Amino acid sequence: MHSHRIVRGAVSALLVASALQGLSPAAAKPPAPVVAAIQADEAAAVKRLQQWIALPTIANMGVNHAEGAAHMRQLALDAGFQQGEVIKTAGVPAVFATLDAGAPTTLGVYFMYDVKHYDPKEWNSPPLEARLVDRPGEGKAIVGRGAVNQKGPETAFLAAVKAFKDSGTKLPVNLVLVAEGEEEIGSPNFPQALASPAVQAALGKAAGVFIPGASQSSTGSVSTELGAKGVIEVQLISSGEKWGRGPNKDVHSSLMASVDNPAWRLVKALNTLVEDDGFTPAIDGYFENVRPLTAREKQIIAEEVAAGDEADIKKSLGIRTWAKDENFLTSSIRLAQRPTVNIQGLVSGYTGPGGKTVLPGRAEAKMDLRLVPNMTYDEAVTKLKAHLAKRGFSDIEVVVSGGYSPTEVAEDSVMIRAAQATLNGAGIENTLSARAAGSWPGVMFTGAPLKLPALGFGAGRGGGAHAPNEWFLVDSTNPKVAGMAEQSEIYADFLYEVAKAAAK
Amino acid sequence: MHSHRIVRGAVSALLVASALQGLSPAAAKPPAPVVAAIQADEAAAVKRLQQWIALPTIANMGVNHAEGAAHMRQLALDAGFQQGEVIKTAGVPAVFATLDAGAPTTLGVYFMYDVKHYDPKEWNSPPLEARLVDRPGEGKAIVGRGAVNQKGPETAFLAAVKAFKDSGTKLPVNLVLVAEGEEEIGSPNFPQALASPAVQAALGKAAGVFIPGASQSSTGSVSTELGAKGVIEVQLISSGEKWGRGPNKDVHSSLMASVDNPAWRLVKALNTLVEDDGFTPAIDGYFENVRPLTAREKQIIAEEVAAGDEADIKKSLGIRTWAKDENFLTSSIRLAQRPTVNIQGLVSGYTGPGGKTVLPGRAEAKMDLRLVPNMTYDEAVTKLKAHLAKRGFSDIEVVVSGGYSPTEVAEDSVMIRAAQATLNGAGIENTLSARAAGSWPGVMFTGAPLKLPALGFGAGRGGGAHAPNEWFLVDSTNPKVAGMAEQSEIYADFLYEVAKAAAK
């Protein structure tokens, strides 16, 4: 849900330069036995991905919580992690695994093993069958829920790790894996798992943390993000029950003449949260701690914009104009710079075709707030509640279902340097992105107490995260785009680059 | 949907006096052969009702439009109507049937043969099986969709008509039946059927029109309504497509930083439709043509209120306070007096459990406006659109899915006099209601060009219209409440009372 890969799909990838360089076969490859082992394992790796997709973990629907965690642990052990344990939380369990290679450098790896829910009716092939489907002009892709977000890239990374074991090659770094099953609902309980002393001790030794991702555009380019917005998932609920006015259930609509309506109450409360333009956040003090973009960040955005195709982006988003009729550059700066107050959905009373004469007892707005540095999760939740209370809306329930603060990673950090070296070594065109407009829980690593550089990294390609027909490219016919085995090779190389960058 | 019976269930029935008089066996009964024929037909009438319930016509779901009309026509012919025809409209067909008894007086009868949609999962017995179920303290009831709204009372009326045929008794009035299959969506095409010259000519001879209804309270009392509010069913739809801003589909929520959101647009538009109290209509000029209640109407309301149990009504509605903290009398006057602007439902973007990071391409508010004399349907639709346009919301689609103007019937009209005489003759406690807060399309008869007195009338009892487990009492164990055969007897008597009242 919050994964930056979606936003990359939506905007950043489209902003990326489309210079055509090939994957250079010569540069910076991992050792030949590792490459050979990856290739020998290719079909088995695809099978592992298909089996994993067949076992969906869905956090907010109680689907395969324990089973998904057990499977995640076993996948790590099979790849060569020496120990793995399931860590219970108040929600979906986490998994913690380590691989001690006796190396001077340790790398943290963050996985999510949950997936977004899905409606099989909307899919062209069954979402859990993970069928191999031809994508004209791209190659063969696995279609299934979780294919790209995030089981495909994670399987490619585990295949790289396994290849070291299979080929008897010593890993250049030690690995610490932390995996959660609640990323799609805003990681509400993952901090609890991370706080375990053993996890803290293990991650405390890491030079940085990364999450595997298939981040190549259709032309093969990759955008490396220097941070991402934070997010708060929140539902505002107006009800006769909490309000003490209006009905505690749906009643006949004629009663509107003498009975209060919780749906109107919600409209009046929502109306205060954005300015009259229906766009600018109006929560009291919301912009107080917003750090303006640096000159360097603006420069990076300008470079992205110069290389992007505005018309194509607008077409893919189905929009005709940016908010406030701003030009592409101004709007792109806003996209990175601005915190948001978004309505994801509205649900109240009758929601079927046409109308039905009820006065609803309950109304709910599903919202998300996106936060930029130096806003924090706690600050924004507090300000939202205070804003509503100040205007007499204390009866509106504020249900925070997940979220976290923004994350940032320095351009000169070990992780960014290692990512750039790996991509350059593989001949993959790559640019920087100042800040993803989407979110991922990198702050759990970049924030206190760990304060580690953290990023998403990976070659390969996929799409349709959270949508029907989610796909992940397994065999690529475009020489600029990595298939699954090539991704594993690039991950293997990345381990060497992390060791190198950390040694500098 | 708009049927006054619901509101009677919700409020008016609860406002009604609970004096206990028995159904007087002596007074004003129809001829013995008619009564005998009704009783002989009793089991068959129940069966006819069950068969009718098994064939639901649902206007806005395309269910049994033609089949429902054909069945309606056949029911009329079987009861003794000499001719019956299905009248095509732009929507669900209407049915027109006549019975010429050679009488000096003609009575118009209005039927609805459609029902509200239903979710079988919410029912204790299958909604189309029309099972006979014991209601403790009340008797045996048929449970099924349409049982009370309106097939039960209509079946009881047709059984009365049939009894004249079966017993070879001449009817005291000629009958003109007009039946529609779109009452539940606001009768959008019924005026078209009524406008047919043959229908106008037939109804033009009528002394008045009535719709059968089971309107006894649990204590047996009946409230006779002197009118009902009009209603407009309307959906307000905000979309990127029509707006030209925001996306034309759901996109990733992070884009809220630089893309407009149609859900916010809808909130801003809705916000202008009621005052800051979230209750008082704020559509420009909305109250302009509101006729104040007369002294007589206020007197009737005061009598209803004096006899009502406020605590019991509040409990049944699930409310703790009336809007604006008014007392029972003031709020009851408001209930009759005030036009409304109601939100029935809200639906936009993600509506499942928790949240989902989308920025929706579309948002819809389902609304109804209730109109009082002398407001009209056309006036209110025009004012709503003008109000939105004046504030720059012309992009918000105003989809009017049905509705009609308010209806009124004079206390000294043939129909009210006949109704009161029938109820008094049967020993049924009855009071007047100044105006139903709900709606029924009586204006199609009371308005130009027909200008006939029209009302809902009937003994008997049921509940749960539009809700799960809708029921209609067939055998009553309470001597104050009519079972189905007794209702038919009262309808038979009503025909004589109409003839008498018209002759005066």
Side-chain angles (χ1 to χ4, degrees), chain B residues 94-120:
Chain B
V95 173
F96 166 51
T98 53
L99 193 170
D100 184 353
T105 301
T106 297
L107 175 64
V109 187
Y110 164 63
F111 270 27
M112 56 182 282
Y113 69 82
D114 61 322
V115 297
K116 199 73 198 166
H117 44 79
Y118 50 85
D119 181 352

Side-chain angles (χ1 to χ4, degrees), chain A residues 1-3 6-7 10-11 60-61 116-117 184-185 229 231 233 235 240-261 263-268 270-280 315-326 331-332 334-336 338-360 363-364 366-368 370 401 437-439 466-467, chain B residues 1-3 6-7 10-11 60-61 116-117 184-185 229 231 233 235 240-261 263-268 270-280 315-326 331-332 334-336 338-360 363-364 366-368 370 401 437-439 466-467:
Chain A
M1 173 188 301
H2 307 96
S3 155
I6 295 155
V7 176
V11 176
N60 57 356
M61 293 184 166
K116 197 75 198 165
H117 44 80
E184 295 292 3
I185 58 166
K229 290 186 185 176
V231 69
E233 286 265 1
Q235 294 95 48
E241 201 169 338
K242 293 272 170 182
W243 190 15
R245 310 193 63 84
N248 61 14
K249 60 185 175 186
D250 294 0
V251 296
H252 193 265
S253 72
S254 60
L255 291 160
M256 185 71 233
S258 60
V259 171
D260 291 295
N261 183 330
W264 277 125
R265 178 79 175 160
L266 182 67
V267 166
K268 289 290 168 182
L270 288 174
N271 183 60
T272 70
L273 296 177
V274 298
E275 305 288 356
D276 283 347
D277 61 6
F279 177 71
T280 308
K315 193 177 156 205
S316 92
L317 294 177
I319 64 168
R320 279 174 268 179
T321 177
W322 301 109
K324 297 187 164 291
D325 295 312
E326 288 173 341
S331 196
S332 299
R334 184 187 289 278
L335 183 64
R338 279 295 183 100
T340 67
V341 177
N342 178 57
I343 295 180
Q344 305 175 339
L346 295 170
V347 56
S348 176
Y350 177 67
T351 60
K356 183 176 174 184
T357 48
V358 297
L359 186 169
E364 177 175 351
K366 292 161 186 298
M367 307 188 72
D368 59 58
R370 300 274 171 181
S401 57
S439 307
H466 298 187
Chain B
M1 175 189 298
H2 308 93
S3 155
I6 295 153
V7 176
V11 177
N60 58 356
M61 292 182 168
K116 199 73 198 166
H117 44 79
E184 295 293 2
I185 59 166
K229 290 186 185 178
V231 69
E233 285 264 1
Q235 294 94 48
E241 202 169 336
K242 293 273 170 180
W243 189 16
R245 311 192 63 84
N248 61 13
K249 59 187 174 184
D250 293 0
V251 296
H252 193 264
S253 73
S254 61
L255 291 160
M256 185 70 234
S258 59
V259 171
D260 292 295
N261 183 330
W264 277 125
R265 178 80 175 160
L266 181 67
V267 166
K268 289 290 167 182
L270 289 174
N271 183 59
T272 70
L273 297 177
V274 298
E275 305 288 357
D276 283 347
D277 61 7
F279 176 72
T280 308
K315 195 178 155 204
S316 93
L317 295 176
I319 64 168
R320 277 174 269 178
T321 177
W322 301 108
K324 299 189 164 288
D325 295 312
E326 287 172 343
S331 197
S332 298
R334 184 188 288 279
L335 183 64
R338 279 297 183 97
T340 67
V341 177
N342 178 55
I343 296 179
Q344 304 174 339
L346 295 170
V347 57
S348 175
Y350 177 69
T351 59
K356 183 176 173 183
T357 49
V358 296
L359 186 166
E364 178 176 351
K366 293 162 186 298
M367 307 189 70
D368 59 58
R370 301 272 170 182
S401 57
S439 308
H466 299 186

Side-chain angles (χ1 to χ4, degrees), chain A residues 125-191:
Chain A
S125 73
L128 302 186
E129 281 192 18
R131 288 188 191 162
L132 274 166
V133 169
D134 271 319
R135 282 186 70 84
E138 301 229 48
K140 271 206 164 25
I142 278 186
V143 173
R145 176 50 89 224
V148 67
N149 178 29
Q150 206 76 316
K151 291 175 175 176
E154 289 168 350
T155 300
F157 174 73
L158 289 176
V161 175
K162 183 170 182 292
F164 283 87
K165 182 179 78 167
D166 291 350
S167 64
T169 309
K170 188 173 145 9
L171 272 157
V173 292
N174 312 311
L175 296 174
V176 176
L177 173 70
V178 285
E180 70 159 316
E182 293 184 330
E183 200 275 349
E184 295 292 3
I185 58 166
S187 308
N189 298 292
F190 192 45

